[in-house]
Amino acid sequence: MKNKPWYRMWPEMIRQVAGACPRVFVLEYFWSVVNGLALAATPIVLEQIFRIILESETERFPFAALAGWMLALLAVYLTSEASAGLSEYYGEVYSDISAKALFGNVNKKAGRLAAIEYEKPELLNRLEKAYPGAFRVRDVVHVIMDILTAYLPYFILYGIYLYHAHPVLPPMLVLIFLPILGSQLLKGKLYARVEDKTAVLRRQKQ
């Protein structure tokens, strides 16, 4: 039986990972969205500050406007740092929660097998891959959710800003994003191949 491609499995993977503790899962990626928006807002606010400085006359320097944008920049920086820290914190907490739940699912399925089944090398090889695979499910879901909650809001907001500056600029963001996505997909395929080859050897060594 051939393995399903990742894009057909990831809805079920997200369901299993998110189901371990939905409240913490939502909190982690809520702060991820906030962080993505704050990162995108930073260069926009900086551009306004530089514009005021460069275009203002010395005799009538708009200190009030500059102070307002400086406060906005401070707020954006604080939001970015706080949201990044909170997202990282909840991510670390949820890594343990999801690992416990996913390992528990593997143990439950293994516990329902007849004892004679454990004499089969094919089953032992599958179990050898199941435990690291359960741990990697969280990593795969984290990459997908990071793309949807951090990178996507960042590129949308910053893309709108660049479009108003010049319509040719937003496609440049896509050209930057595609290699990142491609590298993640390639890494996943290479890891799967290596795991298939090493699982048997690892079980025999143990």
Side-chain angles (χ1 to χ4, degrees), residues 21-30 89-91 93-94 97:
C21 186
R23 183 181 65 85
V24 178
F25 184 83
V26 170
L27 282 172
E28 177 185 357
Y29 294 108
F30 167 78
Y89 166 75
Y90 283 114
V93 172
Y94 203 76
I97 294 174

Side-chain angles (χ1 to χ4, degrees), residues 3-19:
N3 294 329
K4 294 181 181 180
W6 69 271
Y7 54 83
R8 295 182 60 184
M9 294 190 297
W10 77 266
E12 175 62 20
M13 293 162 61
I14 290 181
R15 186 191 68 79
Q16 290 191 23
V17 173

Side-chain angles (χ1 to χ4, degrees), residues 57-107:
E57 299 178 1
T58 306
E59 295 80 7
R60 295 182 179 180
F61 194 83
F63 287 103
L66 181 61
W69 282 109
M70 291 296 291
L71 288 175
L73 181 63
L74 177 61
V76 169
Y77 273 134
L78 292 176
T79 301
S80 176
E81 292 297 322
S83 59
L86 287 167
S87 178
E88 184 71 20
Y89 166 75
Y90 283 114
E92 291 293 330
V93 172
Y94 203 76
S95 180
D96 293 336
I97 294 174
S98 59
K100 180 180 178 181
L102 293 170
F103 286 167
N105 290 338
V106 175
N107 289 334

